[in-house]
Amino acid sequence: MALAFDEYGRPFIILREQESKSRLRGIDAQKANIAAGVAVSRILRTSLGPKGMDKMLQSPDGDITITNDGATILEQMDVDNQIGKLMVELSRSQDYEIGDGTTGVVVMAGALLEQAEKLLERGIHPIRVAEGFEISSRIAVDHLEKIAHKFDFSATNIEPLVQTCMTTLSSKIVNRCKRSLAEIAVKSVMAVADLERKDVNLDLIKVEGKVGGKLEDTELIYGIIVDKDMSHPQMPKQIEDAKIAILTCPFEPPKPKTKHKVDIDTVEKFQTLRKQEQKYFDDMVQKCKDVGATLVICQWGFDDEANHLLMHRNLPAVRWVGGVELELIAIATGGRIVPRFQELTPEKLGKAGLVREKAFGTTKDRMLYIEHCANSKAVTVFIRGGNKMMIEETKRSIHDALCVARNLIRNNSIVYGGGAAEISCSIAVEAAADKYPGVEQYAIRAFADALDSVPMALAENSGLSPIETLSAVKAQQIKENNHCCGIDCNDTGTNDMREQNVFETLIGKQQQILLATQVVKMILKIDDVISPSEY
Amino acid sequence: MAVEKLFKDEATEEKGERARMASFVGAMAIADLVKTTLGPKGMDKILQSTGRGHSVTVTNDGATILKSLHIDNPAAKVLIDISKVQDDEVGDGTTSVVVLAGELLREAEKLVGSKIHPMTIISGYRMASDCARKALLDRVKDNKDNAEKFRSDLMRIAMTTLSSKILSQDKEHFAKLAVDAVMRLKGSTNLESIQIIKKAGGSLKDSFLDEGFILDKKIGLGQPKRIENANILVANTAMDTDKVKIYGARVRVDSMAKVAQIEGAEKEKMREKVQKIIGHGINCFVNRQLIYNFPEELFADAGILAIEHADFDGIERLALVTGGEIASTFDNPESVKLGHCKLIEEIMIGEDKLIHFSGVEMGQACTIVLRGASFHVLDEAERSLHDALCVLSQTVNDSRVLLGGGWPEMVMAKAVDELARKTPGKKSHAIEAFSRALIAIPTTIADNAGLDSAELVAQLRAEHHKEESNAGIDVITGSVGDMSALGISEAFKVKQAVLLSATEAAEMILRVDEIITCAPRKREDRM
């Protein structure tokens, strides 16, 4: 095909350098793509659910990550295959949008691809399959809406939120203390939430980790933690009712942006310059002092001389504080970030009830706690754990839990977890299939089968026999018309998810189904893969 | 099909059984590596660095050994990491934590081999570790209220810690040093204020604790060698030529005469600065930065002892002990706090001259001078002492104490065994395995001492069957002995950290069922 002939019979080349490109076309291309997608999803399949396993990833630099979070696994996996990359994107977008269910979405997409392959083998056109999937995804989403429950929570009654966060955390390594971590997550979200507007700005929640101690020591701090210490070792380690000047200018003589030179050619000039310099330092410190600041937080470093002057005037200071942290401090303390000394005014100072330095362990690790801030709408989750990987994994888990709590505040509808929602959807889609004439019917049935694969994977990972369990639960759902039945992963003896308190957010589930369908549609539409062959 | 090329070139993927195997094998290899260093009769390792000079370290410290290993196995890295954290957090038990984690994984491997799911093992381990911790908590002793007893507790802990190190010959001496030093800190865990100076020569026994402060510097020429009732100004300021800090300033002259003038002005400036410093009414000046000859001479003229180039830690400590503040500007002599001490003199240790500050105001800091035959001995001695200091300072804050010599492990193992008997289901196998892993620690201690471990541990077990037994392994006589009579103690905090982090690490490795290794980043060839 790469060679065509014009009307005179002369050949001309459409696609150059055939031998250096490999090309897959038609059904082969689709099969190859599907196989790649399925391979990626198979990697994640064993991570699903409370009994899911972790993956150990070694980065190009030799660093180790141990995680259970789908998005993280895929991101660090070094996937080279184009379709594999699509799956990575898929999980990432779920992560950005919802924050949780990143494994589920990939497993779902993989299952859809497997089903699609079977249909293709029967000779159904890929576009028809894609359309069928589209129809059924709409049915499933509508059905989810129907079976969703609204639940009530308020600033005082956070129990339902905690329960949902616990579901999220139970699949992570931190499930040992999921209760306390879930409470921390919910409390921190409630602290920053705007319940009127139903919005949560997760930027206000900072998650900090420090190796050492144990997971149970993880705490929520209504304030900010900065991984810095006082610039001078002899400055006070604790300041009460601090008034904080937040500066982004260095304690140094000004450096004009325009290039200039100061020429010294006489002794007098040399001396005036020196005086000038001393005055600079003095003025700077004086200005901070004048507005009544009792703590200076500076984005830049300062000179030994300035440091001593600050110490001398009894003005504790912290240097080299990062931009993001500076912003958070400003938000928390209600202060303003001041770019120039001249602009310092008392109103621009931030206020905090207590600023203290805390030392950890035997090394000289110190951290600065800024607590009881004027505007308590910035909180920090401070994680402790046995090792670095544990901390990282806990950070990711907390992030997921925070996202779930946020989603619930935005939209308080929930569906039941443990595969219950998927099974219920599968039944609904199956029932709807018969109403569609035409080839799509097959695709819709296939979709229902694909939905089953999520609870199936759950059962498999929990050491139950998948087909038996699934069919039992399905029968129970239909017989009792109870869409709360799911897989009993924790072997608690009941498969009513309402009793087990396993919830997931409605938007999370909906998004999973929609995103997975979209990606599968995209993959099915590809019928030609041209790639440079290996060399 | 295309699936073969899912990953980038050179990226590898290990799945299921193979992945688990790889991590078990790696973790156990690491554990076995440090296993022989455990206990009072543990052996040392020689580490040769690959850097220039191939410098050699001889050590017994688990964290130090593991830190210098170049490991490619991911699971092994997890173990190294926990050992490092243990070092940072409590300072001691770095070997134990790795050995315990390794044993836990060894037991887990057997269980996985008999078709028990890793998740079941993990939940069993968790229950066991909770139970073990409770068992320890039940048996801790706390002598915080009784100062004398507390001190003897500290002594015992220090001796136990030191007994496995190179210092074991003189452990009583060093234990006393360490306890004295830590007691001076008065509850703070800031070990920076304990300075350790190493001087080759003499024997380890000659090491001593100095109540004052020793600075490893020489006194400037022509300056007094001995000052009584010294007023000290601790400074961090440039005493070479004071640079003009205003950006873009430069000297531009058109004749030689002007150069001379400027030079004169510079000198004048320095003279002024020195005058200002002298104006503080001091007779000793310690600077962190260099002091050039010119100001040094000025100081000598004024009869002031000037010490240059003290390192940053030294300055901080000096400020801490003498109660002065670190100054950088000298315009307000009345408000700068000066440090005081009774006597400054030059002393000789071995062949080196050092400056000794005695009779300091704040007694918080102190100096330990280590003497020893070679640098390797000194380095190892410092590490051992550091371990002891860490443990002691942690114990001062958390004064709960346990007995040593395998006693805590046996107590835990007993409690865990009982739990296993009560637990229905497959978990009980895992709990049993946990207790076996705990017993592996006394076994290793006995093995390393060349004793009949099977016999001893069995005896120990029988002994512990009685209520409130104090039995542990007495390595010296090679039999089971009463640990409280022998005075072997360990800090509760260390044991707890060992237990928790080892379980955590084992759990983490067990949960893994797939290892994906990315293609190593290409190093640019520098050759």
Side-chain angles (χ1 to χ4, degrees):
Chain A
M1 263 306 212
L3 206 64
F5 296 93
D6 62 7
E7 58 263 44
Y8 303 110
R10 286 178 303 197
F12 64 89
I13 296 162
I14 298 171
L15 207 62
R16 258 183 199 290
E17 294 163 21
Q18 276 293 293
E19 56 284 354
S20 66
K21 291 212 168 46
S22 67
R23 188 167 176 209
L24 276 175
R25 298 177 57 242
I27 192 89
D28 276 345
Q30 271 145 358
K31 280 199 173 160
N33 291 342
I34 286 173
V38 169
V40 172
S41 88
R42 210 166 274 158
I43 291 175
L44 286 191
R45 198 181 159 94
T46 51
S47 287
L48 196 73
K51 297 262 166 110
M53 305 294 275
D54 286 3
K55 307 277 175 264
M56 195 185 264
L57 302 148
Q58 193 166 18
S59 83
D61 297 323
D63 296 334
I64 307 283
T65 312
I66 297 181
T67 183
N68 181 295
D69 181 46
T72 317
I73 298 173
L74 287 177
E75 211 149 298
Q76 304 209 352
M77 222 163 58
D78 221 2
V79 174
D80 203 25
N81 185 288
Q82 307 87 338
I83 303 302
K85 279 184 183 152
L86 268 182
M87 301 293 264
V88 175
E89 286 291 322
L90 165 69
S91 148
R92 197 179 297 158
S93 56
Q94 172 84 7
D95 194 27
Y96 286 159
E97 224 10 66
I98 307 296
D100 186 34
T102 48
T103 315
V105 70
V106 176
V107 171
M108 177 80 208
L112 282 176
L113 284 173
E114 261 173 33
Q115 294 296 336
E117 190 179 9
K118 278 184 208 150
L119 294 178
L120 290 182
E121 264 167 20
R122 290 192 189 174
I124 299 177
H125 193 273
I127 299 292
R128 304 295 289 271
V129 177
E131 265 163 23
F133 282 177
E134 180 67 36
I135 295 167
S136 25
S137 79
R138 238 176 289 135
I139 299 170
V141 168
D142 290 346
H143 182 72
L144 279 177
E145 197 94 44
K146 256 181 261 155
I147 62 168
H149 280 246
K150 292 256 177 211
F151 71 13
D152 295 320
F153 62 89
S154 59
T156 46
N157 176 23
I158 54 169
E159 187 55 32
L161 286 177
V162 174
Q163 294 286 1
T164 321
C165 285
M166 271 165 67
T167 310
T168 308
L169 290 175
S170 63
S171 68
K172 315 278 175 187
I173 194 165
V174 294
N175 59 6
R176 179 154 48 101
C177 34
K178 61 179 173 190
R179 173 86 214 178
S180 62
L181 285 181
E183 270 172 24
I184 286 174
V186 172
K187 275 185 197 155
S188 58
V189 168
M190 291 307 271
V192 300
D194 188 344
L195 288 179
E196 304 262 292
R197 281 198 309 124
K198 290 196 169 191
D199 198 14
V200 184
N201 184 1
L202 283 187
D203 289 341
L204 293 176
I205 302 174
K206 197 176 161 208
V207 183
E208 268 283 343
K210 192 106 193 153
V211 179
K214 48 186 193 292
L215 205 53
E216 283 82 1
D217 297 337
T218 302
E219 53 180 344
L220 172 67
I221 290 156
Y222 290 97
I224 309 277
I225 298 183
V226 191
D227 196 355
K228 291 278 178 294
D229 51 3
M230 294 290 180
S231 63
H232 196 287
Q234 287 168 326
M235 284 176 179
K237 306 280 180 235
Q238 189 163 344
I239 304 160
E240 273 166 39
D241 291 324
K243 296 208 171 64
I244 307 170
I246 305 160
L247 299 172
T248 53
C249 45
F251 271 88
E252 272 167 20
K255 283 184 185 168
K257 298 267 165 8
T258 40
K259 229 175 169 181
H260 71 290
K261 278 174 193 134
V262 182
D263 284 349
I264 304 171
D265 47 7
T266 62
V267 173
E268 291 75 49
K269 274 195 186 164
F270 183 76
Q271 274 160 353
T272 40
L273 211 57
R274 227 183 77 210
K275 293 229 174 66
Q276 194 74 34
E277 189 187 300
Q278 268 171 355
K279 212 167 110 38
Y280 266 133
F281 284 123
D282 241 18
D283 279 357
M284 282 188 286
V285 179
Q286 196 54 44
K287 269 189 193 121
C288 299
K289 205 68 189 164
D290 280 346
V291 291
T294 53
L295 174 71
V296 176
I297 289 177
C298 186
Q299 195 176 11
W300 302 97
F302 26 86
D303 211 75
D304 290 339
E305 247 170 84
N307 200 0
H308 176 251
L309 273 175
L310 285 168
M311 159 76 196
H312 196 87
R313 302 274 176 87
N314 201 9
L315 192 60
V318 187
R319 54 181 156 184
W320 301 120
V321 179
V324 184
E325 283 159 340
L326 212 63
E327 252 169 58
L328 270 177
I329 294 173
I331 294 172
T333 61
R336 294 266 294 277
I337 297 176
V338 181
R340 256 174 242 282
F341 286 98
Q342 288 77 15
E343 281 159 31
L344 262 177
T345 55
E347 299 85 59
K348 287 183 181 168
L349 297 181
K351 288 176 192 63
L354 180 67
V355 179
R356 64 197 165 99
E357 202 180 283
K358 198 175 166 191
F360 295 99
T362 61
T363 46
K364 34 182 187 175
D365 278 346
R366 298 200 198 96
M367 283 185 131
L368 204 66
Y369 284 59
I370 302 174
E371 286 171 296
H372 308 300
C373 300
N375 173 10
S376 64
K377 280 218 157 187
V379 294
T380 307
V381 181
F382 188 50
I383 299 171
R384 306 300 312 273
N387 53 47
K388 205 171 63 210
M389 291 147 228
M390 193 76 188
I391 300 255
E392 290 301 314
E393 178 68 0
T394 313
K395 267 190 193 170
R396 284 189 285 270
S397 313
I398 288 273
H399 168 78
D400 283 8
L402 290 176
C403 288
V404 168
R406 176 195 62 182
N407 294 341
L408 280 176
I409 288 177
R410 280 193 186 153
N411 180 352
N412 61 351
S413 305
I414 49 147
V415 289
Y416 290 94
E422 280 88 352
I423 297 172
S424 175
C425 282
S426 153
I427 295 169
V429 173
E430 184 91 59
D434 298 340
K435 292 184 200 127
Y436 282 86
V439 195
E440 281 86 358
Q441 200 183 87
Y442 279 87
I444 296 171
R445 285 219 183 91
F447 192 89
D449 281 347
L451 277 171
D452 280 348
S453 79
V454 174
M456 199 107 88
L458 270 179
E460 220 170 286
N461 290 345
S462 312
L464 306 167
S465 81
I467 298 173
E468 213 171 288
T469 321
L470 180 65
S471 48
V473 173
K474 213 167 187 179
Q476 196 182 356
Q477 277 216 6
I478 296 177
K479 201 159 72 193
E480 298 173 11
N481 196 13
N482 174 3
H483 38 251
C484 308
C485 296
I487 308 289
D488 177 19
C489 299
N490 289 325
D491 212 16
T492 44
T494 167
N495 54 14
D496 191 330
M497 290 299 134
R498 234 179 327 200
E499 280 167 40
Q500 285 204 23
N501 286 323
V502 178
F503 311 123
E504 282 177 75
T505 54
L506 172 67
I507 26 179
K509 261 286 120 61
Q510 284 180 332
Q511 197 74 11
Q512 265 186 5
I513 293 178
L514 288 176
L515 280 176
T517 316
Q518 245 172 47
V519 167
V520 170
K521 263 173 69 187
M522 199 188 316
I523 294 175
L524 284 178
K525 276 189 168 173
I526 301 168
D527 77 334
D528 199 341
V529 180
I530 304 167
S531 54
S533 67
E534 287 161 61
Y535 42 87
Chain B
M1 271 214 278
V3 193
E4 293 140 34
K5 258 210 76 186
L6 193 56
F7 298 110
K8 283 206 178 103
D9 298 346
E10 289 180 63
T12 53
E13 185 193 5
E14 306 263 358
K15 272 193 169 171
E17 283 303 299
R18 280 181 58 107
R20 216 166 275 140
M21 273 292 282
S23 43
F24 282 149
V25 169
M28 281 189 287
I30 288 290
D32 285 342
L33 184 83
V34 289
K35 207 172 177 179
T36 53
T37 62
L38 196 71
K41 295 274 165 96
M43 304 300 272
D44 288 3
K45 310 261 176 242
I46 284 191
L47 309 167
Q48 189 169 30
S49 79
T50 50
R52 252 194 326 178
H54 295 278
S55 64
V56 171
T57 318
V58 182
T59 185
N60 179 294
D61 183 39
T64 315
I65 299 173
L66 293 177
K67 241 184 269 175
S68 29
L69 289 176
H70 295 285
I71 296 284
D72 208 30
N73 186 300
K77 279 192 179 151
V78 177
L79 289 196
I80 293 176
D81 199 53
I82 56 168
S83 154
K84 219 186 290 170
V85 172
Q86 178 85 2
D87 194 27
D88 291 346
E89 207 37 34
V90 285
D92 193 30
T94 49
T95 315
S96 317
V97 71
V98 177
V99 172
L100 183 58
E103 287 304 326
L104 284 175
L105 287 172
R106 195 189 305 273
E107 292 295 335
E109 190 194 12
K110 284 181 209 155
L111 293 178
V112 171
S114 56
K115 297 273 176 290
I116 294 180
H117 195 266
M119 284 297 164
T120 319
I121 304 177
I122 288 172
S123 62
Y125 276 8
R126 266 188 200 166
M127 285 170 70
S129 102
D130 275 350
C131 159
R133 196 168 150 257
K134 275 198 202 92
L136 280 188
L137 272 173
D138 283 346
R139 302 287 298 270
V140 290
K141 283 178 210 138
D142 193 343
N143 286 331
K144 184 132 197 142
D145 307 323
N146 188 336
E148 209 166 291
K149 265 201 177 153
F150 184 50
R151 200 184 154 83
S152 80
D153 271 350
L154 286 182
M155 272 303 277
R156 287 168 159 201
I157 291 174
M159 281 184 2
T160 313
T161 309
L162 291 173
S163 65
S164 65
K165 310 279 153 98
I166 198 169
L167 300 176
S168 61
Q169 294 304 314
D170 313 299
K171 63 180 174 194
E172 232 159 282
H173 180 67
F174 280 102
K176 205 170 151 339
L177 278 187
V179 173
D180 282 345
V182 170
M183 292 305 270
R184 293 174 75 90
L185 291 179
K186 300 188 183 80
S188 113
T189 54
N190 188 358
L191 292 178
E192 283 165 63
S193 33
I194 300 176
Q195 188 188 20
I196 298 180
I197 288 182
K198 298 175 280 183
K199 285 283 164 208
S203 77
L204 280 173
K205 255 206 189 86
D206 298 331
S207 309
F208 61 93
L209 173 85
D210 195 280
E211 306 226 328
F213 180 78
I214 292 179
L215 201 61
D216 194 354
K217 287 287 160 227
K218 288 195 187 80
I219 292 178
L221 267 182
Q223 290 166 348
K225 297 272 185 255
R226 187 185 155 90
I227 296 178
E228 277 176 40
N229 287 331
N231 287 328
I232 307 164
L233 180 64
V234 186
N236 177 11
T237 184
M239 288 302 279
D240 35 11
T241 44
D242 232 356
K243 283 182 211 89
V244 177
K245 280 173 194 140
I246 291 173
Y247 186 71
R250 61 171 189 179
V251 179
R252 191 191 193 104
V253 287
D254 43 18
S255 71
M256 279 307 282
K258 286 238 171 98
V259 175
Q261 271 177 11
I262 298 269
E263 205 194 334
E266 239 172 37
K267 270 204 172 156
E268 195 51 45
K269 184 183 167 194
M270 186 47 72
R271 194 189 300 275
E272 248 173 54
K273 194 169 182 181
V274 172
Q275 283 308 328
K276 268 187 207 154
I277 292 170
I278 296 170
H280 285 68
I282 53 163
N283 43 18
C284 175
F285 175 72
V286 184
N287 192 14
R288 191 175 81 81
Q289 296 172 25
L290 276 177
I291 303 179
Y292 269 27
N293 289 356
F294 176 64
E296 195 179 333
E297 191 192 320
L298 290 176
F299 281 124
D301 284 348
I304 288 177
L305 176 64
I307 302 163
E308 62 163 13
H309 223 242
D311 55 302
F312 202 81
D313 285 350
I315 283 284
E316 259 179 49
R317 275 193 211 114
L318 192 60
L320 207 63
V321 285
T322 60
E325 70 181 37
I326 301 171
S328 292
T329 54
F330 311 98
D331 293 321
N332 313 301
E334 62 287 342
S335 59
V336 171
K337 269 201 289 177
L338 297 178
H340 298 282
C341 79
K342 292 254 160 53
L343 178 69
I344 301 174
E345 60 180 343
E346 206 174 57
I347 53 165
M348 300 271 288
I349 297 178
E351 294 208 324
D352 295 308
K353 288 182 192 162
L354 302 168
I355 303 167
H356 183 217
F357 298 76
S358 55
V360 289
E361 270 190 352
M362 318 257 263
Q364 281 210 1
C366 56
T367 305
I368 295 175
V369 179
L370 286 178
R371 307 299 312 275
S374 73
F375 283 114
H376 301 307
V377 172
L378 283 176
D379 282 348
E380 177 65 0
E382 187 190 0
R383 273 191 293 273
S384 317
L385 204 57
H386 175 254
D387 279 9
L389 289 175
C390 287
V391 175
L392 289 177
S393 69
Q394 294 293 335
T395 318
V396 170
N397 286 343
D398 181 352
S399 60
R400 287 173 290 185
V401 170
L402 296 164
L403 296 177
W407 179 83
E409 283 80 11
M410 293 311 290
V411 169
M412 288 192 273
K414 188 183 163 199
V416 171
D417 256 344
E418 260 160 37
L419 176 73
R421 250 173 268 149
K422 277 183 258 167
T423 314
K426 282 191 238 174
K427 274 182 218 162
S428 75
H429 291 285
I431 300 173
E432 241 172 46
F434 195 93
S435 112
R436 276 200 298 279
L438 283 170
I439 292 179
I441 290 200
T443 313
T444 316
I445 294 179
D447 275 338
N448 286 348
L451 303 171
D452 184 350
S453 61
E455 171 68 27
L456 269 179
V457 170
Q459 274 184 30
L460 203 57
R461 218 174 161 151
E463 201 66 39
H464 269 270
H465 205 62
K466 298 172 201 155
E467 287 299 310
E468 300 293 315
S469 162
N470 286 337
I473 294 183
D474 179 1
V475 180
I476 314 296
T477 59
S479 62
V480 171
D482 185 336
M483 288 298 120
S484 80
L486 285 166
I488 298 176
S489 300
E490 282 183 78
F492 170 71
K493 200 160 175 195
V494 175
K495 275 286 156 223
Q496 175 183 287
V498 167
L499 182 71
L500 291 182
S501 12
T503 321
E504 220 164 67
E507 191 181 307
M508 220 160 176
I509 295 174
L510 269 174
R511 278 178 70 104
V512 171
D513 75 335
E514 182 151 343
I515 302 175
I516 297 165
T517 317
C518 295
R521 201 182 292 283
K522 292 273 181 307
R523 296 257 156 76
E524 274 156 46
D525 247 339
R526 293 208 192 111
M527 304 301 276

